[in-house]
Amino acid sequence: MHKFDYSKIYEYFLDSEYDVEPCEFKGLDFLRVSFEINGIVVSLLHRCVAEITSLPHFFLENYEKSGRLAHVLLSRDPDLKGLGSICVNNLDSVSINYECPELAFEESIRRHQDLLTKLLTDSEFNESELLREFSTNWQNTWLSEQSTKVESLICACDLKDFDILEIFRPLAGANVNPLGLSYVAVSRQYLNSNISNYLSLPVRSKAPEYISAFYMSVKQISLGFPSNEIELKHWICEVFELLDSDARSEIESILKSRRSKQFWGVFGIETPSGVSYFGIRFCCNSKKSFPDNFEKLANWSVEPIFLTMLNKEELLFRGGADNTLSRKKVLLVGCGSVGSEVADKLGAAGVGLLSIVDPDYYSPSNIYRHFLDSRWLFEHKSLAVSYQLMSKYPWLEARGYGQSLLDLRDQDILREFDLVIAAIGSPTQERIFQDYVVQNNINTSVIYTWLEGYGIGGHAVLDVPGSKGCLKCAYVDPESGRRGLASNLNFLVSDQDVVKNFAGCGEMFIPYGHLSSSQTALVATDLALKYLRGKQTESAKVSWKGYDDDAIDQGLKLSRRYSSFDKNLKIQSLCHPMCDVCSDQRYVVYGNHDLKLRIPASVVEELTSYRQDGSDDVESAGLLVGYGNDSIYTLYEITYPQESDIRDRAYFKLDPTSHQKIIDECFSCSDGLLGYIGTWHTHPQAVPSPSNLDLKDWLAHESENQDRQLFFIIVGKDEVKVFGIIDREPIEFAVLGEDC
């Protein structure tokens, strides 16, 4: 008896186009669905289940009579022998209404019918899909018929048209991992690479000299997949007959010059889904040259190999990694809880060379928030992490060094790398190191990443030489404008005691959990990968914000940035408006009464670039972005004309949405420092003066923004004029001079 009541299903389909009825197959309860495709009756069988948890699965009845169909595999379940299992998609991935299961059955039947209709009526589509799923069809067809175990081979080779491979025996011993239980064949260039260590080649013995292995690219194959040895011999001979002249030449000049008892062949065929592979073992009682036709195969036994390919391009792509990163070189300084996670994620992303620097040892106090396992206790962290990564990622070359960040102040070393990542949590050393990079014109970008205690958050900054924004931007005190000793990104106020210890000064630590270090590693690695892929070209910052409960319980004070921060995980510009390195320090100062406006020389140049010198030049306009207090304001940048603005010779109308978006971004990136402080526009006059429309517009802006002082700039042909509103009256500001 089944818990699920199929009577509702039968009742639902009484008046449908489908013939749905209960039936038995080998003594088991099934549901049969019948319909016609081009006058041929097709029957599907569904094995009754106790509960509907996914789209119902159907089998094709009389599988053999339908011919070879793509997406239909002979069931290997003894209870279902003779039925074809139909793949219409990942059934579990579809969300179904289990309260109305009849709808799930209807949808599943429709999908099966649509697929079978295409396969049975469009032979080209069917052949294309058979080829696309070649690997699955090949192994399923042969293995479903075999009563004895076939040999297993792991192959790592470059996809040349032809290559002789070195073949190694399986490892012996009860504790050997599954990788070691297979034969291994590799290209010769891999013998001294990490692939060699990954596959344990140094401790494997070579296969006997009478075994030869090779890789061959083939151009065409038959889709009549063999299911026994005779069929396999005919099938592979047909493959040989379809080889091009270059492949035939390789067989004649290389394979036939070898005399072996066994030839292990790995073949690759281009399919719509990429390169597919199959392996065949040719065995003979005495040494002979390679059998490349049916007559020569008479004295050979032939069987397929259970093949696993370690192909770099395919495995990186399947795992979401990027093969272009295999040429990137990254120097990671610090492999503690954050740095070790960064290293692992860079390896998973496909980075080719990772140099890891850390003078520290892995101790038992690290184990609950570190990437390493217990095998590496009391070893150098850098060496341990590099070895563990290479055992996990076969195409990663990782090197460990026992140095510190300041030991790396060497131009020749730093210029070798595409990126440096510092995950040491030492702001003083980081600033000293960055000074060295700048002073020596080293064109290598650096990411600095750190986390704060009690799960309050973590940060990463990217310093790209030559771009706007630098590490010192992260140390500008937003209150005074001076460079401080604590990062303005921090969520905890500086000079608080967040360090704990259990055994004196030697065991001091900052309280945080593994989730906090992992989250910080994620934001740092994401920033690194965006830079390495060319998607992030400017200096940037990114933070994640956690909960404040634990910090407050400890009596810690939170920074103003923590309370206002709402850009979790968003990458923003690193440049700080008050940074004495990145900001223009040459100003033209305008003033009236006790009020001053400082305009950077670079912004003055940008404003004058919009002058209406020509008779056809249209009016330009935008908003002013800046900061200040009661008496001194600084214009930081302007918004420029947008495509959605309306502009004419003597008229403009701003699109408020597009300009406000720029203002909001500036406000967010500066943690609330920058904001709207007025407008600018051009006049086709030598010495501009405000029109009545201008004055009316200014008064409206002033009424809507009474919490701040506003300024209004008019750019003429010869002069730039600055105005303001005080006590509802317009005033003009005079040029007071330049301030450097």
Side-chain angles (χ1 to χ4, degrees), residues 358-362 372 376 378-385 401-402:
D358 195 314
D360 200 7
Y361 291 84
Y362 183 47
L372 290 173
W376 305 104
F378 309 112
E379 299 287 347
H380 267 295
K381 288 180 179 178
S382 58
L383 292 172
V385 169
Y401 303 92

mmCIF file of all heavy atoms in Angstrom, residues 358-362 372 376 378-385 401-402:
data_model
loop_
_atom_site.group_PDB
_atom_site.id
_atom_site.type_symbol
_atom_site.label_atom_id
_atom_site.label_comp_id
_atom_site.label_asym_id
_atom_site.label_seq_id
_atom_site.Cartn_x
_atom_site.Cartn_y
_atom_site.Cartn_z
ATOM 1 N N ASP A 358 54.472 34.504 6.176
ATOM 2 C CA ASP A 358 54.034 34.639 7.572
ATOM 3 C C ASP A 358 55.103 34.011 8.459
ATOM 4 O O ASP A 358 55.484 32.861 8.240
ATOM 5 C CB ASP A 358 52.687 33.949 7.793
ATOM 6 C CG ASP A 358 52.030 34.366 9.107
ATOM 7 O OD1 ASP A 358 52.721 34.392 10.133
ATOM 8 O OD2 ASP A 358 50.816 34.656 9.095
ATOM 9 N N PRO A 359 55.600 34.730 9.457
ATOM 10 C CA PRO A 359 56.653 34.165 10.318
ATOM 11 C C PRO A 359 56.104 33.284 11.442
ATOM 12 O O PRO A 359 56.871 32.660 12.167
ATOM 13 C CB PRO A 359 57.312 35.425 10.902
ATOM 14 C CG PRO A 359 56.196 36.423 10.957
ATOM 15 C CD PRO A 359 55.319 36.140 9.768
ATOM 16 N N ASP A 360 54.786 33.210 11.575
ATOM 17 C CA ASP A 360 54.162 32.567 12.731
ATOM 18 C C ASP A 360 54.031 31.055 12.541
ATOM 19 O O ASP A 360 54.065 30.541 11.421
ATOM 20 C CB ASP A 360 52.781 33.184 12.965
ATOM 21 C CG ASP A 360 52.282 32.944 14.380
ATOM 22 O OD1 ASP A 360 53.052 32.427 15.199
ATOM 23 O OD2 ASP A 360 51.113 33.291 14.657
ATOM 24 N N TYR A 361 53.829 30.360 13.657
ATOM 25 C CA TYR A 361 53.599 28.923 13.658
ATOM 26 C C TYR A 361 52.134 28.640 13.984
ATOM 27 O O TYR A 361 51.474 29.419 14.668
ATOM 28 C CB TYR A 361 54.495 28.226 14.696
ATOM 29 C CG TYR A 361 55.959 28.240 14.345
ATOM 30 C CD1 TYR A 361 56.756 29.337 14.658
ATOM 31 C CD2 TYR A 361 56.553 27.168 13.696
ATOM 32 C CE1 TYR A 361 58.109 29.363 14.338
ATOM 33 C CE2 TYR A 361 57.905 27.168 13.375
ATOM 34 C CZ TYR A 361 58.674 28.272 13.689
ATOM 35 O OH TYR A 361 60.002 28.291 13.366
ATOM 36 N N TYR A 362 51.659 27.494 13.510
ATOM 37 C CA TYR A 362 50.276 27.084 13.763
ATOM 38 C C TYR A 362 50.204 26.415 15.132
ATOM 39 O O TYR A 362 50.864 25.405 15.377
ATOM 40 C CB TYR A 362 49.833 26.127 12.658
ATOM 41 C CG TYR A 362 48.392 25.678 12.753
ATOM 42 C CD1 TYR A 362 47.368 26.585 12.977
ATOM 43 C CD2 TYR A 362 48.065 24.332 12.609
ATOM 44 C CE1 TYR A 362 46.047 26.183 13.045
ATOM 45 C CE2 TYR A 362 46.747 23.902 12.671
ATOM 46 C CZ TYR A 362 45.744 24.837 12.891
ATOM 47 O OH TYR A 362 44.433 24.424 12.960
ATOM 48 N N LEU A 372 43.716 25.522 8.505
ATOM 49 C CA LEU A 372 44.530 24.309 8.622
ATOM 50 C C LEU A 372 43.892 23.276 9.544
ATOM 51 O O LEU A 372 43.144 23.611 10.462
ATOM 52 C CB LEU A 372 45.918 24.664 9.158
ATOM 53 C CG LEU A 372 46.839 25.446 8.218
ATOM 54 C CD1 LEU A 372 48.098 25.873 8.958
ATOM 55 C CD2 LEU A 372 47.195 24.620 6.988
ATOM 56 N N TRP A 376 49.075 19.989 10.847
ATOM 57 C CA TRP A 376 50.089 21.030 10.679
ATOM 58 C C TRP A 376 50.414 21.767 11.979
ATOM 59 O O TRP A 376 51.068 22.803 11.944
ATOM 60 C CB TRP A 376 49.604 22.034 9.631
ATOM 61 C CG TRP A 376 49.251 21.376 8.339
ATOM 62 C CD1 TRP A 376 48.005 21.119 7.856
ATOM 63 C CD2 TRP A 376 50.164 20.861 7.369
ATOM 64 N NE1 TRP A 376 48.067 20.490 6.645
ATOM 65 C CE2 TRP A 376 49.395 20.313 6.313
ATOM 66 C CE3 TRP A 376 51.552 20.809 7.280
ATOM 67 C CZ2 TRP A 376 49.967 19.731 5.196
ATOM 68 C CZ3 TRP A 376 52.129 20.219 6.171
ATOM 69 C CH2 TRP A 376 51.334 19.691 5.144
ATOM 70 N N PHE A 378 52.181 23.258 15.021
ATOM 71 C CA PHE A 378 53.571 23.621 15.326
ATOM 72 C C PHE A 378 54.447 23.749 14.077
ATOM 73 O O PHE A 378 55.667 23.839 14.187
ATOM 74 C CB PHE A 378 54.194 22.628 16.325
ATOM 75 C CG PHE A 378 53.342 22.411 17.545
ATOM 76 C CD1 PHE A 378 52.725 21.193 17.765
ATOM 77 C CD2 PHE A 378 53.132 23.449 18.446
ATOM 78 C CE1 PHE A 378 51.928 20.995 18.870
ATOM 79 C CE2 PHE A 378 52.327 23.264 19.562
ATOM 80 C CZ PHE A 378 51.719 22.035 19.774
ATOM 81 N N GLU A 379 53.824 23.756 12.894
ATOM 82 C CA GLU A 379 54.556 24.018 11.653
ATOM 83 C C GLU A 379 54.391 25.489 11.270
ATOM 84 O O GLU A 379 53.469 26.168 11.721
ATOM 85 C CB GLU A 379 54.026 23.136 10.517
ATOM 86 C CG GLU A 379 54.166 21.647 10.749
ATOM 87 C CD GLU A 379 55.597 21.166 10.616
ATOM 88 O OE1 GLU A 379 56.440 21.933 10.111
ATOM 89 O OE2 GLU A 379 55.873 20.025 11.022
ATOM 90 N N HIS A 380 55.292 25.979 10.411
ATOM 91 C CA HIS A 380 55.131 27.330 9.868
ATOM 92 C C HIS A 380 53.788 27.418 9.138
ATOM 93 O O HIS A 380 53.483 26.584 8.282
ATOM 94 C CB HIS A 380 56.261 27.657 8.878
ATOM 95 C CG HIS A 380 57.430 28.350 9.512
ATOM 96 N ND1 HIS A 380 57.333 29.604 10.065
ATOM 97 C CD2 HIS A 380 58.717 27.952 9.671
ATOM 98 C CE1 HIS A 380 58.515 29.972 10.540
ATOM 99 N NE2 HIS A 380 59.371 28.984 10.322
ATOM 100 N N LYS A 381 53.003 28.407 9.488
ATOM 101 C CA LYS A 381 51.689 28.556 8.850
ATOM 102 C C LYS A 381 51.812 28.686 7.337
ATOM 103 O O LYS A 381 51.032 28.096 6.584
ATOM 104 C CB LYS A 381 50.959 29.787 9.400
ATOM 105 C CG LYS A 381 50.438 29.645 10.812
ATOM 106 C CD LYS A 381 49.731 30.935 11.240
ATOM 107 C CE LYS A 381 49.180 30.818 12.653
ATOM 108 N NZ LYS A 381 48.546 32.092 13.089
ATOM 109 N N SER A 382 52.788 29.470 6.887
ATOM 110 C CA SER A 382 52.912 29.731 5.451
ATOM 111 C C SER A 382 53.201 28.455 4.679
ATOM 112 O O SER A 382 52.603 28.198 3.624
ATOM 113 C CB SER A 382 54.003 30.768 5.191
ATOM 114 O OG SER A 382 55.246 30.323 5.715
ATOM 115 N N LEU A 383 54.104 27.628 5.213
ATOM 116 C CA LEU A 383 54.430 26.366 4.540
ATOM 117 C C LEU A 383 53.255 25.398 4.602
ATOM 118 O O LEU A 383 52.918 24.742 3.613
ATOM 119 C CB LEU A 383 55.664 25.731 5.181
ATOM 120 C CG LEU A 383 56.986 26.479 4.980
ATOM 121 C CD1 LEU A 383 58.072 25.840 5.833
ATOM 122 C CD2 LEU A 383 57.382 26.463 3.512
ATOM 123 N N ALA A 384 52.614 25.328 5.761
ATOM 124 C CA ALA A 384 51.498 24.399 5.932
ATOM 125 C C ALA A 384 50.341 24.752 5.011
ATOM 126 O O ALA A 384 49.761 23.876 4.353
ATOM 127 C CB ALA A 384 51.039 24.415 7.391
ATOM 128 N N VAL A 385 50.001 26.030 4.942
ATOM 129 C CA VAL A 385 48.893 26.448 4.075
ATOM 130 C C VAL A 385 49.229 26.172 2.614
ATOM 131 O O VAL A 385 48.385 25.700 1.845
ATOM 132 C CB VAL A 385 48.563 27.937 4.296
ATOM 133 C CG1 VAL A 385 47.602 28.445 3.223
ATOM 134 C CG2 VAL A 385 47.943 28.143 5.673
ATOM 135 N N TYR A 401 56.822 31.233 2.913
ATOM 136 C CA TYR A 401 58.027 31.919 3.381
ATOM 137 C C TYR A 401 57.787 32.430 4.804
ATOM 138 O O TYR A 401 56.677 32.865 5.138
ATOM 139 C CB TYR A 401 58.387 33.097 2.475
ATOM 140 C CG TYR A 401 58.581 32.720 1.020
ATOM 141 C CD1 TYR A 401 57.512 32.791 0.127
ATOM 142 C CD2 TYR A 401 59.813 32.290 0.548
ATOM 143 C CE1 TYR A 401 57.677 32.446 -1.206
ATOM 144 C CE2 TYR A 401 59.990 31.935 -0.792
ATOM 145 C CZ TYR A 401 58.915 32.013 -1.658
ATOM 146 O OH TYR A 401 59.074 31.665 -2.974
ATOM 147 N N GLY A 402 58.825 32.413 5.624
ATOM 148 C CA GLY A 402 58.702 32.824 7.019
ATOM 149 C C GLY A 402 59.111 34.249 7.275
ATOM 150 O O GLY A 402 59.817 34.525 8.259
#
